[in-house]
Amino acid sequence: MPRFKTIMVTGGAGYIGSHCVVDLLEAGYEVVAIDNFANAVGDEEGSPALQRAEQITGKQITFYKADLLDKQQINNIFDKHLVDCVIHFAALKAVGESMQQPLLYYQNNLLGMLNLLEVMRSHNCYQMVFSSSCTVYGEPEQLPITETHHTGNITNVYGRTKYFIEEMLKDLSAADEKWNIISLRYFNPVGAHPSGLIGEDPTKEFTNLMPFMAQVALGKKPVLTIFGNDYNTPDGTGIRDYIHVMDLAGGHVAALNLLSENHVRLKVFNLGTGKGVSVKELVNVFERVTGTNIPVKYVSRRLGDITAMWADATLAKNELGWTTKRTVEEMCTDFWRWQTMNPDGYPKKNKTTVIVVNGKS
């Protein structure tokens, strides 16, 4: 199988998507990115994250503002480009929001994937890297979690959409041997590109820990809210496997290499560091490396949250030749660089339009 040339990245303007695009360009791939800006900053004129990815790499990205729920629109993009492989990031992803708006999550994440797969098949594109999640494991039965751990006993709607898609891909690859798919189960991505030019800029209130923490450190928020300090863990806070977003991006390039050289039908890999870090420990490291003080307020646990989970990423090491390289300190340092260089995130257009009539506004 020849090496791929053109990679379509859905959700390419998002946090993980934009960092992955940088790695793809630096690895020599041509990128066609699409995004509907449900989770990312941008408009009809493009994405500031992808414009900065071009700045970092000195290479061009073909971008379309597009929505996977509009099948004809996606079909038209495939008509214009000979896509060798799709990396599918695009999804709604806020756990809290998913519990409040389940139908929105099922429609967007499942129907979007169905449309994408049908368009790919009609264009003879059968290679995919799917952005899955460790949430498919539910509350772990043992730690660390290997890929053989039971899936499906999931505590939130977001995770259930990832699980249903994985089941869909199993059925699809069993029914038609042309498909060649790798599903990457991410643990907890944090950090930013070391240039400070791109990073995480949440567009919703349901926010992840590190952006919230950085906003408190900047003085933009008064206190960091931590959900639960009564877990059965050494310090009472939840434990997660935090992985630097650039290590995660490297995992996708490694997955493409495997797909381009082998027909795996469907293969699943955990992407994590293999180490658990508690919320409290992460806050302490962040304070230490940034020299800031982060006031903390503990509140009750969130519905759907899990006590502790971290990955066994041995399979990815053995079969993808991939391991994480960056420390928790680097995750915090790189994110702080992004946040201090961009205290308000990416530049956003002024939403208030002033109309001038006869010299008066």
Side-chain angles (χ1 to χ4, degrees):
M1 207 178 291
R3 188 176 180 278
F4 304 144
K5 182 184 172 192
T6 302
I7 311 300
M8 173 178 280
V9 180
T10 72
Y15 171 44
I16 301 169
S18 58
H19 288 77
C20 185
V21 164
V22 168
D23 255 20
L24 291 172
L25 293 172
E26 288 181 340
Y29 293 103
E30 290 179 11
V31 172
V32 176
I34 67 170
D35 207 295
N36 69 351
F37 299 116
N39 291 327
V41 176
D43 56 27
E44 300 292 344
E45 291 169 28
S47 148
L50 291 176
Q51 286 156 8
R52 291 179 181 196
E54 290 180 327
Q55 195 182 328
I56 290 165
T57 60
K59 297 184 177 179
Q60 277 197 307
I61 298 159
T62 303
F63 176 74
Y64 296 92
K65 182 176 186 288
D67 194 315
L68 291 172
L69 297 184
D70 185 341
K71 194 172 173 185
Q72 189 56 53
Q73 190 182 29
I74 304 308
N75 195 74
N76 293 345
I77 295 167
F78 270 83
D79 284 347
K80 288 181 192 162
H81 302 275
L82 186 60
V83 175
D84 295 305
C85 182
V86 174
I87 301 183
H88 179 44
F89 293 107
L92 294 176
K93 62 183 180 65
V95 169
E97 183 182 55
S98 78
M99 302 298 281
Q100 293 174 8
Q101 301 191 61
L103 291 182
L104 177 69
Y105 272 65
Y106 288 129
Q107 181 193 45
N108 189 84
N109 295 3
L110 299 183
L111 193 53
M113 178 55 129
L114 278 169
N115 286 345
L116 178 61
L117 290 168
E118 287 176 348
V119 171
M120 286 174 67
R121 184 176 61 186
S122 71
H123 288 80
N124 285 313
C125 177
Y126 291 95
Q127 328 282 335
M128 173 181 274
V129 178
F130 172 57
S131 164
S132 190
S133 165
C134 64
T135 54
V136 300
Y137 294 119
E139 187 75 55
E141 290 160 15
Q142 75 275 334
L143 289 165
I145 302 174
T146 67
E147 290 81 357
T148 57
H149 189 287
H150 175 72
T151 59
N153 186 24
I154 295 154
T155 56
N156 61 73
V157 174
Y158 160 70
R160 215 164 283 132
T161 66
K162 293 293 186 183
Y163 169 72
F164 288 152
I165 289 171
E166 283 201 1
E167 292 297 297
M168 200 192 295
L169 296 178
K170 271 187 207 168
D171 293 337
L172 186 62
S173 58
D176 186 347
E177 64 181 20
K178 289 196 196 83
W179 288 97
N180 197 28
I181 301 166
I182 288 178
S183 183
L184 298 176
R185 292 174 181 161
Y186 311 162
F187 280 67
N188 290 70
V190 294
H193 191 271
S195 66
L197 288 171
I198 60 172
E200 187 172 10
D201 184 9
T203 56
K204 294 181 178 170
E205 272 305 301
F206 297 94
T207 187
N208 291 337
L209 175 61
M210 198 168 275
F212 198 154
M213 196 156 59
Q215 289 292 300
V216 175
L218 281 173
K220 287 178 165 286
K221 290 187 186 291
V223 64
L224 173 65
T225 305
I226 295 179
F227 297 94
N229 62 344
D230 57 349
Y231 286 105
N232 184 21
T233 61
D235 63 23
T237 63
I239 292 176
R240 297 291 180 269
D241 186 340
Y242 296 101
I243 172 175
H244 196 295
V245 67
M246 291 311 299
D247 281 333
L248 188 62
H252 293 76
V253 175
L256 285 183
N257 291 341
L258 185 66
L259 283 181
S260 68
E261 292 162 11
N262 299 274
H263 196 76
V264 300
R265 295 280 286 264
L266 176 63
K267 194 86 192 176
V268 174
F269 294 98
N270 286 338
L271 294 186
T273 64
K275 297 185 191 77
V277 176
S278 77
V279 172
K280 204 168 178 182
E281 284 175 312
L282 188 66
V283 173
N284 291 343
V285 173
F286 194 92
E287 286 183 319
R288 191 177 78 243
V289 302
T290 62
T292 58
N293 177 50
I294 299 171
V296 165
K297 176 178 75 173
Y298 293 102
V299 296
S300 57
R301 302 180 190 186
R302 280 180 304 197
L303 184 66
D305 270 351
I306 280 163
T307 303
M309 59 170 15
W310 61 90
D312 181 330
T314 308
L315 194 66
K317 182 181 180 182
N318 293 344
E319 297 193 17
L320 296 178
W322 173 89
T323 54
T324 59
K325 300 181 179 75
R326 295 160 180 91
T327 63
V328 176
E329 284 78 6
E330 286 171 280
M331 298 173 203
C332 295
T333 302
D334 288 343
F335 195 85
W336 186 237
R337 185 181 300 113
W338 146 256
Q339 195 70 96
T340 49
M341 286 171 64
N342 305 271
D344 299 312
Y346 291 111
K348 296 154 185 90
K349 296 248 173 88
N350 188 348
K351 290 190 169 57
T352 57
T353 306
V354 177
I355 300 170
V356 177
V357 182
N358 298 332
K360 295 178 183 175
S361 59

